Amino acid sequence: MLLGGILLVVQALQLSNALDLPAGSCAFEEGTCGFESVFAFLPWILNEEGHYVYVDTSFAKQGEKAVLLSSDLQAEEWNCLRLVYQITAPLGSVSHPSQLNLYLRFEDESFDRLLWSTKEPSDSWLIASLDLQNSSKKFKILIEGVLGQGDMASIALFEIKMTAGYCIECDFEENHLCGFVNRWNPNVNWFVGGGTMKNTHSILPQDHTFRSEQGHYMYVDSVYVKHFQEVAQLISPVTTAPMSGCLSFYYQLQQGNDNVFSLYTRDMTGLYEEIWKVDSPGSAAWKLAEVEFSAPYPMEVIFEVAFNGPKGGYVALDDISFSPVHCQNQTGLPFSAVETSCDFEEDLCNFYQDKDGPGWTRVRVKPNMYRIGDHTTGAGHYLLANTKFTSQPGYIGRLYGPSLPGNMQYCVRFHYAIFGFLKMSDTLAVYIFEENHVVQEKIWSVLESPRAVWMQAEISFKKPMPTKVVFMSLCKSFWDCGLVALDDITIQLGNCRSPERLPPPPGECTFDQDECAFTQEKRNRSSWHRGRGETPTSYTGPKGDHTTGVGYYMYIEASHMVVGQKAHLLSWPLRGVPGKHCLTFFYHMYGARTGLLSVFLKIEEESKESLLWRRRGEQSISWLRARVEYSCRTQHQIIFEAIRGGSIRSDIAIDDVKFQAGPCTEMEETTQQSSGYSEDLNEIEY
């Protein structure tokens, strides 16, 4: 009878724990906790004994999908979503493995945001820790399993748990240790200490969280060291959202002369950077450490203890936490990507220049057939170093950026265009200046570049002292001067070339990697083509893409088509949602007797397509920005239709397509060209 009572108590505790799970969480004990299989796909099957849901190839085929959708959720504070899962595959190499994807579906967006994806098979369960940035908008979690090759392929979900806080935080009180893992070493490793079950691995009377024997912590001890330079590493989950602030933790150590306790970051290339090292004597009390931490792209935090002998003692760690504000001991100026970027549409932002000489001038050029406009919109402002009209050989124009704190990694991106120089080398250069305006070094300069094309440059650098980025235009002689244009400067934390595991922005396509999810009903010489550089026919088409100047765009080649022939490019299916959508893209219509570019809305199960936007005839030698605002409550597609004009010199191109939730912040400026026709359509709702 007593045993039966104990079992009832255990079951009651399990049920209460299930009921206490936060919204968006499920242990799959009694059911699926509000998560439901989407009817149009394979169902997720709840194991008869509970504990997990699964889908496998015993009743489905390779490539089939199972989709699990949560109820409405909200995360006004930063949250961490942990997914415990397993992907199994048949023995041997598999060319098409199973895949598990996790999306966020916001209530006002017509597309799903890919947050995480994996194809990694395993013989046991794995933990994915995913940061959810705070937002006032409601959303759903969408988990998609895509079955791979083989009769034994399967995907299982053991637990989903969404909790307030950052994934990098941990008090080590839960079995999964917040996704932190020990890098196995035959001799020294991080162990879990404390807890009611006493074992030989508990070395401290109290943890820091509860100040009791029942609490847990992590520790490493030199008693197991057998060789010199033994290293124990405790590795955090990979960050999945940009974050910057103060990382704090509690530690205690017996410090002899034989150990070093350090904190590192490691990016996806394996590059280590030390951000903290213990510099105080050992103590038997818990001490607080605060470290300035920035993760603009995915990286891990590594707590490392290096032993040089068996007399190093122990190091204990507990209560890792993060705050999105700078540490109290931080003396440098905080960094703001907004304050260090400028598109020059309103003014010079926080950039300035030398008072002597004509320097850089903020200009605006009306888009026409002979002069390219700015990079931001095609009809906006940019900076011009007007060296053409100076009579001073050796003229230098300097543009200074805002002050940047030292000892941080930066990525500088900007667009430039060169006109008229015979020798292009060093006509534009970028320098690093110290705070007192002393030149530190040149970090970039123009060598050769297509003329009159907006090109993107990117530079990574890191300096120990506070610095300023300076853009310098140089005129070497009166007989070889020209114009240098500058636009859309951004300075961000991190390395420009770091391989990002963060998914690409949703609803966006630059066409640089592929055609994204755009499709065509037919593909032949008269279809839309993905190209780069100039189009084959002279005096028509762009000289380069809009994104970087050397990337790809989509275009129609008029010489392959007959007059009036159409080419259709269809977007992926977009969900219908209440409210407005904003579609932005760049278009290029330059050439004799250019035809027609239109944007249509196609609603599922309706044969009629509705016109949203149109331009007719030659518009400009520049890329021009279009903004189209519309509403649609049912599933739909956007169609880009290009119609060939009356000349082989009538190529039409598009680039940098972007779908956004909500109204357009500023409607496109209407341009009326004498050689063409433009019309603006009122917002249409369906």
Side-chain angles (χ1 to χ4, degrees):
M1 186 66 182
L2 179 61
L3 180 59
I6 292 173
L7 289 175
L8 287 174
V9 171
V10 171
Q11 290 173 354
L13 286 173
Q14 289 178 338
L15 182 59
S16 66
N17 287 338
L19 294 174
D20 289 342
L21 283 174
S25 305
C26 192
F28 304 108
E29 295 290 347
E30 300 292 329
T32 57
C33 318
F35 283 84
E36 295 182 354
S37 292
V38 177
F39 180 74
F41 302 96
L42 293 173
W44 287 90
I45 300 172
L46 181 65
N47 183 43
E48 293 181 358
E49 299 178 357
H51 306 301
Y52 65 91
V53 293
Y54 70 96
V55 60
D56 61 28
T57 50
S58 63
F59 63 94
K61 298 179 181 178
Q62 176 186 335
E64 289 194 86
K65 299 179 181 179
V67 178
L68 198 63
L69 191 64
S70 75
S71 56
D72 284 333
L73 303 169
Q74 201 155 6
E76 295 189 354
E77 301 294 331
W78 193 291
N79 276 256
C80 179
L81 180 66
R82 298 198 195 280
L83 190 67
V84 184
Y85 68 94
Q86 182 182 12
I87 297 176
T88 58
L91 296 175
S93 61
V94 177
S95 57
H96 298 284
S98 297
Q99 185 168 346
L100 187 59
N101 305 315
L102 190 144
Y103 298 85
L104 296 185
R105 173 175 291 180
F106 285 94
E107 60 179 350
D108 61 345
E109 293 183 344
S110 57
F111 46 85
D112 297 325
R113 295 176 173 266
L114 178 63
L115 181 64
W116 171 82
S117 180
T118 185
K119 295 181 179 180
E120 181 182 1
S122 172
D123 294 331
S124 60
W125 53 267
L126 300 175
I127 299 175
S129 300
L130 311 169
D131 286 297
L132 303 183
Q133 292 174 288
N134 50 311
S135 172
S136 59
K137 298 191 297 184
K138 289 183 179 179
F139 67 94
K140 296 178 186 287
I141 296 171
L142 189 150
I143 301 174
E144 177 187 70
V146 184
L147 288 171
Q149 182 180 9
D151 296 334
M152 302 295 291
S154 69
I155 305 171
L157 302 176
F158 293 86
E159 185 179 13
I160 303 167
K161 191 170 184 181
M162 189 171 82
T163 55
Y166 296 81
C167 291
I168 205 169
E169 296 179 317
C170 197
D171 59 11
F172 303 109
E173 299 301 333
E174 296 190 61
N175 291 334
H176 54 57
L177 301 182
C178 317
F180 278 76
V181 295
N182 169 71
R183 181 185 177 188
W184 175 249
N185 183 317
N187 299 319
V188 290
N189 292 278
W190 286 90
F191 293 105
V192 181
T196 55
M197 298 295 291
K198 284 297 179 181
N199 56 65
T200 56
H201 296 306
S202 293
I203 60 170
L204 299 180
Q206 294 182 341
D207 78 320
H208 180 267
T209 312
F210 299 120
R211 301 285 183 174
S212 71
E213 296 180 351
Q214 283 72 38
H216 296 84
Y217 55 90
M218 300 298 294
Y219 81 98
V220 60
D221 196 339
S222 65
V223 70
Y224 302 106
V225 171
K226 295 182 178 179
H227 307 285
F228 289 109
Q229 298 179 338
E230 293 276 18
V231 173
Q233 290 187 334
L234 185 67
I235 304 171
S236 77
V238 178
T239 60
T240 58
M243 51 196 292
S244 179
C246 188
L247 182 69
S248 62
F249 54 92
Y250 286 87
Y251 71 96
Q252 60 173 278
L253 68 161
Q254 291 176 321
Q255 180 152 19
N257 297 320
D258 292 342
N259 73 30
V260 178
F261 182 30
S262 307
L263 183 61
Y264 295 88
T265 60
R266 182 172 65 186
D267 64 18
M268 296 303 98
T269 64
L271 177 65
Y272 282 78
E273 181 178 358
E274 184 182 276
I275 59 174
W276 177 87
K277 180 186 290 185
V278 68
D279 58 359
S280 58
S283 169
W286 289 103
K287 297 185 65 175
L288 173 64
E290 293 184 320
V291 185
E292 199 68 20
F293 173 69
S294 177
Y297 47 83
M299 62 174 58
E300 301 163 322
V301 170
I302 300 177
F303 293 87
E304 180 182 282
V305 180
F307 292 100
N308 289 320
K311 296 181 180 180
Y314 68 84
V315 176
L317 173 69
D318 203 1
D319 292 343
I320 303 168
S321 62
F322 176 80
S323 172
V325 297
H326 289 273
C327 300
Q328 293 182 356
N329 59 4
Q330 179 73 7
T331 56
L333 296 173
F335 172 80
S336 169
V338 175
E339 294 180 0
T340 55
S341 302
C342 195
D343 60 9
F344 304 107
E345 293 304 316
E346 301 295 332
D347 49 35
L348 295 184
C349 308
N350 291 311
F351 289 78
Y352 66 95
Q353 57 183 325
D354 289 335
K355 296 180 180 179
D356 299 331
W360 294 85
T361 306
R362 183 171 161 267
V363 300
R364 181 177 187 176
V365 176
K366 184 177 180 180
N368 54 43
M369 303 309 113
Y370 312 103
R371 190 101 171 254
I372 67 170
D374 78 318
H375 178 265
T376 314
T377 67
H381 293 82
Y382 60 95
L383 294 188
L384 193 65
N386 202 353
T387 57
K388 191 77 174 177
F389 304 109
T390 66
S391 57
Q392 303 173 1
Y395 157 82
I396 296 176
R398 296 185 179 93
L399 180 72
Y400 294 86
S403 179
L404 303 174
N407 203 32
M408 300 177 78
Q409 181 79 45
Y410 294 102
C411 172
V412 182
R413 289 189 175 95
F414 59 92
H415 284 82
Y416 68 93
I418 309 292
F419 307 84
F421 284 93
L422 297 176
K423 295 181 180 180
M424 194 173 293
S425 176
D426 282 335
T427 55
L428 176 64
V430 180
Y431 287 81
I432 292 293
F433 276 44
E434 295 180 5
E435 283 295 328
N436 58 4
H437 288 193
V438 175
V439 176
Q440 178 69 18
E441 67 173 299
K442 180 169 70 174
I443 57 175
W444 179 90
S445 66
V446 172
L447 296 176
E448 286 297 328
S449 174
R451 285 171 171 77
V453 176
W454 283 110
M455 303 289 292
Q456 185 192 66
E458 53 183 25
I459 314 160
S460 299
F461 73 92
K462 180 179 180 180
K463 293 296 175 184
M465 75 293 289
T467 56
K468 294 183 179 182
V469 175
V470 181
F471 296 86
M472 186 180 298
S473 174
L474 174 64
C475 177
K476 296 179 181 178
S477 70
F478 176 77
W479 306 107
D480 187 12
C481 277
L483 302 175
V484 178
L486 189 63
D487 203 4
D488 294 343
I489 302 172
T490 63
I491 304 178
Q492 298 174 311
L493 291 175
N495 192 308
C496 298
R497 297 297 184 180
S498 293
E500 298 194 6
R501 281 189 181 176
L502 293 178
E508 296 185 26
C509 189
T510 65
F511 303 108
D512 286 341
Q513 301 298 323
D514 50 35
E515 295 178 12
C516 306
F518 282 91
T519 59
Q520 301 193 61
E521 295 171 350
K522 59 180 181 179
R523 289 182 181 273
N524 51 40
R525 285 164 60 87
S526 61
S527 303
W528 286 90
H529 303 281
R530 181 169 165 264
R532 70 188 303 187
E534 298 187 45
T535 58
T537 310
S538 58
Y539 300 104
T540 185
K543 293 184 178 181
D545 79 317
H546 177 264
T547 317
T548 63
V550 294
Y552 288 83
Y553 54 87
M554 297 296 291
Y555 78 104
I556 62 165
E557 176 52 52
S559 61
H560 294 164
M561 306 169 71
V562 298
V563 177
Q565 193 169 13
K566 301 177 180 179
H568 285 175
L569 187 67
L570 285 75
S571 75
W572 55 94
L574 299 163
R575 289 187 305 112
V577 295
K580 296 178 180 179
H581 306 277
C582 182
L583 164 67
T584 64
F585 63 94
F586 284 83
Y587 64 97
H588 198 283
M589 300 176 71
Y590 163 64
R593 300 165 69 189
T594 298
L596 198 67
L597 176 63
S598 306
V599 177
F600 290 94
L601 175 70
K602 179 183 180 182
I603 298 177
E604 193 178 45
E605 301 178 355
E606 289 189 17
S607 57
K608 185 180 179 181
E609 297 164 359
S610 303
L611 179 65
L612 298 179
W613 179 94
R614 173 168 286 169
R615 291 291 181 270
R616 187 192 307 272
E618 187 175 52
Q619 298 293 309
S620 171
I621 199 171
S622 291
W623 284 100
L624 301 176
R625 183 179 66 185
R627 292 183 177 231
V628 184
E629 191 172 282
Y630 71 98
S631 300
C632 188
R633 294 176 178 269
T634 58
Q635 184 164 303
H636 60 282
Q637 289 177 286
I638 294 296
I639 300 176
F640 290 92
E641 179 189 82
I643 301 179
R644 197 260 208 193
S647 165
I648 62 170
R649 294 185 174 89
S650 59
D651 296 347
I652 297 174
I654 62 172
D655 199 9
D656 294 347
V657 180
K658 183 177 182 179
F659 293 91
Q660 294 174 286
C664 298
T665 54
E666 54 177 305
M667 295 303 294
E668 176 203 9
E669 295 181 10
T670 305
T671 55
Q672 188 77 36
Q673 302 292 345
S674 59
S675 59
Y677 166 80
S678 67
E679 60 177 313
D680 284 312
L681 299 168
N682 294 328
E683 180 196 338
I684 305 172
E685 181 166 352
Y686 299 89

